[in-house]
Amino acid sequence: MQTRQEGRVTVVSPSGKIDAMTAPAFEASLSGLIGEGRLCLALDLGGVEYISSAGLRVILATAKALKSKNGVLLLANVRGTVKEVFDISGFGSVFSMHESVEAAVKAAG
């Protein structure tokens, strides 16, 4: 997972699979960023091949943690099978999803 700062937005770019095996480390990383006071996160999911319910739970928990601190979670580059999982689960209508990282950063203001 790579992170970079673009203005007030921290762009997080996981890659590969987010499943029961990798979700705990993913969650710990995101919690660490929130703990550092990074309250505007953009998840660039363009490099994610697969996401399971464990990965969706991490994203939901992160969104809730950010919301409780007046933060925001934006999703970018949600495509292919990952987008299908979001759509089937109904998460696609819950999160702010953007076509690109640039669009997500712009939406954050």
Side-chain angles (χ1 to χ4, degrees), residues 33-109:
L33 292 171
I34 295 169
E36 293 172 4
R38 299 184 192 199
L39 301 180
C40 186
L41 301 180
L43 290 183
D44 177 3
L45 298 177
V48 175
E49 302 165 2
Y50 170 80
I51 188 165
S52 72
S53 59
L56 292 176
R57 187 197 63 76
V58 170
I59 291 173
L60 183 60
T62 300
K64 286 183 176 180
L66 286 167
K67 187 174 181 179
S68 73
K69 297 176 183 280
N70 295 318
V72 64
L73 178 66
L74 307 161
L75 304 181
N77 294 320
V78 184
R79 297 187 175 107
T81 57
V82 173
K83 183 164 184 350
E84 289 176 12
V85 171
F86 273 83
D87 290 343
I88 291 169
S89 67
F91 276 47
S93 61
V94 173
F95 293 101
S96 176
M97 298 178 30
H98 303 274
E99 287 297 316
S100 66
V101 170
E102 292 77 18
V105 170
K106 186 175 181 180

